[in-house]
Amino acid sequence: MRLADFIQTHTQRILDDAVEFAVTQAPRGAQLNVKRLRNDIPHILGEIVADLRTPQSPVQQREKSLGRAPAHAGPESAASSHGRSRADDGFGVNQMIAEYRALRASVLRLWAADEALIADAVDDMIRFNEAIDQAVAESLVEFSRTVESWRNVFLGALGHDLRGPLTAVVGTAEFLMDSVKDTPHARPAERILNGGLQLSRLVDGLLDYSKSRLGAGMTLHRAPCDLATAVTEEVELLRATLPDVAITLQVAGHTHGPFDDTRIREAVHNLVTNAAKYGEPHEEIRVSLTGEDDRVRLAVSNAGAPLAADALNALFDPLRRGSSAANKGEHSSLGLGLFIVREIARAHGGEVAARVDGGSTTFVMTLPTERDLSGHDVRYVAA
């Protein structure tokens, strides 16, 4: 009996074996949906049977063996659905892969025990293994996507739940600051306030990160403004916050446009504090804002150890830190600062990039200026 016919005839026996094994793989406390499992596996087997009965050329077989099978077309595959349900049920990736390994072994064992293998058995086994591998790949894609989605939901919920207590901490610290001004308790109250504000920025970053990853994007409140004013004010605050760091600012050209100036200030804050953390100590941090015909360029430069181009670009990925972070004790940072900068630039229709030149690392944010709030071309001029 050909393998495709055997699977179709003995689907129930194969299903019973697969469900029994899956139950042993369920994580402690996981709510295993056996009914959904018994629905998924017959569909996976049905797709495998269809694959086995589909003519395949030597070229197509080689492409599949190299992992270059054509993308699944049409409705979602049963394997993709299975991967998502496994993530929802709390399975780990190793446990999900073990299910496919057991399914493969079960089918081949039952087939071999059923009768003597026929002349086409080797070809059938090769095709079957290819089909199982393809199902594993499709399950992994959806499993990973679902796990990432749940991770972002968790981060968003965490950030949301932390906001209330942090608001109380910051508000109380501000009250204490006013109450103990010019007393020995002023400095401790200031440290509490600064810590609360730093935690608030971290929570805001978590919320921005989770919303971006969940597809909500970053919220902007655009209005015609002059970025020179916003950037100057933020640099002044940074000079007070980082008294041991020399920060210079140069502004040139036309810097008006439809921007969310609060978000731009946030980007300046993240870029400068990143430079202060990972740049050479006591070296100057240079901030420049330059208006051009249809764009504004914001650049932050600092002296520091050179990084390769790939490493520079990777710094914009979420949850990544500078290479010197471990040496400087930055274990508490989630590494969202540069990711938020990139999202701010993209939300404005711009971009951000990094470069190394002569021992200096420079981050450049480029923002278009010739679009109004509806997306129509317009030029904003100084009042």
Side-chain angles (χ1 to χ4, degrees):
M1 183 183 293
R2 297 296 298 263
L3 182 53
D5 297 328
F6 177 82
I7 293 174
Q8 190 170 40
T9 303
H10 299 282
T11 295
Q12 190 59 48
R13 292 172 60 191
I14 298 168
L15 176 61
D16 291 341
D17 268 13
V19 171
E20 182 180 355
F21 180 79
V23 171
T24 69
Q25 292 295 298
R28 180 177 299 178
Q31 299 297 316
L32 180 61
N33 191 327
V34 175
K35 180 179 179 181
R36 181 168 59 186
L37 177 62
R38 297 188 74 91
N39 288 335
D40 282 345
I41 292 179
H43 288 302
I44 293 174
L45 291 173
E47 291 177 353
I48 290 174
V49 167
D51 183 274
L52 289 172
R53 289 175 173 165
T54 301
Q56 179 176 270
S57 69
V59 173
Q60 290 173 320
Q61 185 175 29
R62 175 172 172 74
E63 289 298 298
K64 285 177 67 177
S65 70
L66 296 175
R68 295 198 291 258
H72 184 84
E76 180 184 42
S77 70
S80 293
S81 174
H82 183 67
R84 183 175 62 256
S85 68
R86 286 303 177 242
D88 288 338
D89 287 337
F91 277 54
V93 64
N94 290 335
Q95 293 162 319
M96 187 194 70
I97 296 299
E99 288 186 77
Y100 279 104
R101 187 172 62 242
L103 180 63
R104 186 199 312 260
S106 176
V107 170
L108 295 178
R109 174 174 52 80
L110 291 172
W111 185 41
D114 185 70
E115 60 179 270
L117 299 182
I118 59 176
D120 294 315
V122 173
D123 183 61
D124 281 355
M125 281 190 287
I126 292 174
R127 292 289 305 274
F128 175 70
N129 282 324
E130 290 171 350
I132 284 285
D133 290 340
Q134 182 64 25
V136 170
E138 292 175 6
S139 288
L140 275 174
V141 168
E142 190 62 24
F143 180 91
S144 300
R145 189 201 66 78
T146 303
V147 168
E148 179 67 14
S149 178
W150 279 115
R151 181 181 296 118
N152 293 326
V153 168
F154 167 75
L155 289 175
L158 176 65
H160 184 271
D161 289 345
L162 285 174
R163 262 188 166 169
L166 277 175
T167 299
V169 170
V170 171
T172 303
E174 290 175 340
F175 172 77
L176 287 175
M177 284 281 293
D178 293 336
S179 302
V180 299
K181 190 178 298 183
D182 301 325
T183 73
H185 302 295
R187 183 57 181 163
E190 182 182 2
R191 284 199 295 267
I192 294 173
L193 177 60
N194 289 338
L197 292 174
Q198 184 175 356
L199 284 172
S200 294
R201 285 192 292 268
L202 177 58
V203 168
D204 289 341
L206 277 174
L207 289 171
D208 287 335
Y209 168 74
S210 61
K211 285 192 295 184
S212 295
R213 282 295 186 255
L214 289 170
M218 176 169 286
T219 301
L220 294 183
H221 300 286
R222 289 174 178 259
C225 63
D226 184 0
L227 284 189
T229 302
V231 173
T232 299
E233 291 176 354
E234 188 61 33
V235 168
E236 289 299 323
L237 284 177
L238 284 163
R239 285 169 177 162
T241 305
L242 304 169
D244 297 329
V245 179
I247 306 172
T248 64
L249 172 63
Q250 290 184 336
V251 178
H254 178 84
T255 58
H256 288 71
F259 305 115
D260 183 335
D261 57 352
T262 300
R263 288 292 193 182
I264 301 303
R265 289 184 62 160
E266 182 181 359
V268 173
H269 177 92
N270 288 349
L271 289 172
V272 172
T273 53
N274 182 77
K277 285 180 181 179
Y278 306 125
E280 290 295 329
H282 311 300
E283 290 289 336
E284 182 180 76
I285 297 175
R286 299 175 299 281
V287 182
S288 66
L289 182 68
T290 307
E292 301 177 357
D293 289 340
D294 58 354
R295 69 196 67 188
V296 171
R297 294 186 186 275
L298 172 67
V300 176
S301 303
N302 66 281
L307 292 174
D310 290 344
L312 277 176
N313 292 329
L315 292 177
F316 294 104
D317 293 336
L319 309 183
R320 294 290 295 269
R321 296 194 296 266
S323 60
S324 59
N327 297 329
K328 296 191 176 185
E330 294 296 332
H331 301 291
S332 62
S333 171
L334 289 178
L336 292 174
L338 293 179
F339 168 77
I340 297 300
V341 171
R342 186 181 69 183
E343 293 301 299
I344 291 172
R346 288 179 174 178
H348 280 88
E351 60 183 6
V352 63
R355 67 172 186 266
V356 174
D357 183 20
S360 178
T361 301
T362 302
F363 291 88
V364 180
M365 175 187 283
T366 305
L367 306 172
T369 59
E370 292 190 336
R371 290 192 179 276
D372 70 5
L373 308 189
S374 302
H376 302 294
D377 288 344
V378 67
R379 179 179 294 276
Y380 286 89
V381 296

